[in-house]
Amino acid sequence: MRFQLSDDQRALKAGVRELLDGRFGRVALRAAVDAPGRLDRELWRALGDAGFFALRLPEADGGVGLGLPEAVLVFEEAGRALLPGPLVATHLAAGSVPGAATGETVVTAVDGELVEWLDAADVVSGDASDAVPLRSVDPLTPLHRIPAACAAAAPGRRRRETRPAARAGTGAAGPDGCLAGLLTAAEQLGTAVRVQELAVQHARTREQFGQPIGAFQAVKHLCADLLVRAETARVAVYAAAVTGDAADIAAARLLADEAAVRGARDCLQVHGGMGFTWEADVHLHLKRAWVRARRAGGSTESEELLAGRLVV
């Protein structure tokens, strides 16, 4: 099986990176951080025009007609750029919710006990009627908590029946958990790659005792570990996009979560005290990686799925 990207896939990846650099560069990122909870509708429509949400829809239905491997490449770039918004939910709803494919409609989904971007969404998949605001560690991902889900998760409590959706979008298909997990893994891969770049760049330019800190063995090891984790996750995510197998996706999710979270922590270590300042972007990557790690069942469901396959 060949996992090298084709020329068209490399061109797609480069095109998305160029688009995001132009529409959501560092100035736009910082503006979004300063206005938490506000979704840039113009940017959302620009993503729709570029085919971000309609990527996997058939051309006969107005889509781009590409597949899951191409969607993974696009979401990797979105993760690298820290692009905010309910990207996965809207992408997965493109074929069922009017306006989602073009970016005119913003779709979010109830995901366990959490809902991302509830106030900014036009359509909610699932019952969010009892949702209450939750202080999010990520300034670019507003969260709500579903009390019913909390009660269901508590030991000794019985799970409540799911009720009809309380907001617009009743009947809209919810995002498939498996695909949501894979696209989340792709975003985590983007973060893992980006924090590796930031760490290496800082290690090459920051000097201590008359030489770049990258010359010191401890820093070299941190940068090498960042690269190994990112490339291991990349192989797993790309392979899972080709096979579409649930176990492959679960394994890719675990590796990508680890690469993003541990990678961001190691990047902070390389940056030293500077990495903890508000002006540095490193903490934004770590906080987003933490929030994504809870999405679509998180590591627990992936571990349980893989354990189940092992004992069959």
Side-chain angles (χ1 to χ4, degrees):
M1 189 174 292
R2 181 179 174 83
F3 290 114
Q4 292 293 326
L5 301 184
S6 67
D7 290 341
D8 287 344
Q9 288 171 328
R10 281 193 286 270
L12 172 66
K13 204 165 183 288
V16 173
R17 181 172 297 189
E18 183 179 358
L19 170 68
L20 295 181
D21 284 345
R23 300 302 300 258
F24 195 70
R26 193 169 189 279
V27 173
L29 170 65
R30 282 292 159 179
V33 171
D34 292 338
R38 190 184 72 84
L39 191 65
D40 186 344
R41 292 285 183 150
E42 186 178 343
L43 172 62
W44 207 257
R45 283 189 285 272
L47 293 172
D49 291 341
F52 188 98
F53 303 115
L55 193 72
R56 294 184 304 115
L57 290 182
E59 292 183 76
D61 296 334
V64 183
L66 297 178
L68 198 52
E70 286 77 19
V72 159
L73 298 177
V74 169
F75 273 79
E76 178 187 343
E77 291 302 318
R80 184 181 183 279
L82 280 174
L83 191 63
L87 301 166
V88 173
T90 303
H91 177 88
L92 294 178
S96 57
V97 176
T102 60
E104 292 296 328
T105 303
V106 177
V107 182
T108 190
V110 175
D111 181 11
E113 64 181 30
L114 298 177
V115 190
E116 299 179 5
W117 290 95
L118 180 61
D119 290 337
D122 304 308
V123 174
V124 181
S125 177
D127 179 14
S129 57
D130 296 330
V132 294
L134 176 68
R135 185 172 183 178
S136 175
V137 67
D138 177 13
L140 291 176
T141 309
L143 294 173
H144 280 69
R145 184 188 295 276
I146 309 294
C150 297
R157 303 290 293 273
R158 296 186 61 183
R159 183 178 296 277
R160 293 174 58 178
E161 294 295 325
T162 302
R163 295 169 295 177
R167 299 183 57 176
T170 300
D176 180 274
C178 201
L179 290 180
L182 178 59
L183 297 179
T184 298
E187 288 186 276
Q188 294 285 59
L189 171 60
T191 286
V193 173
R194 183 57 183 153
V195 295
Q196 173 219 319
E197 294 170 351
L198 291 173
V200 171
Q201 182 182 32
H202 188 74
R204 283 174 170 165
T205 55
R206 176 69 172 173
E207 292 191 359
Q208 286 288 342
F209 307 110
Q211 58 184 331
I213 61 172
F216 299 110
Q217 190 175 48
V219 177
K220 286 181 182 177
H221 284 184
L222 285 174
C223 293
D225 288 343
L226 280 159
L227 176 63
V228 169
R229 283 195 294 266
E231 291 307 309
T232 303
R234 185 195 303 280
V235 171
V237 171
Y238 287 5
V242 172
T243 67
D245 180 76
D248 292 343
I249 291 174
R253 177 68 192 278
L254 291 172
L255 289 168
D257 280 349
E258 181 188 25
V261 174
R262 289 189 61 186
R265 284 175 171 165
D266 284 352
C267 185
L268 272 173
Q269 186 75 18
V270 171
H271 277 73
M274 186 181 298
F276 290 87
T277 62
W278 188 254
E279 290 75 16
D281 292 343
V282 185
H283 69 96
L284 296 176
H285 285 281
L286 177 58
K287 292 168 180 174
R288 182 69 63 84
W290 275 336
V291 171
R292 289 197 207 107
R294 296 287 302 273
R295 193 190 294 163
S299 60
T300 301
E301 287 194 7
S302 297
E303 289 167 351
E304 289 180 352
L305 190 151
L306 290 174
R309 289 287 184 96
L310 288 174
V311 299
V312 171

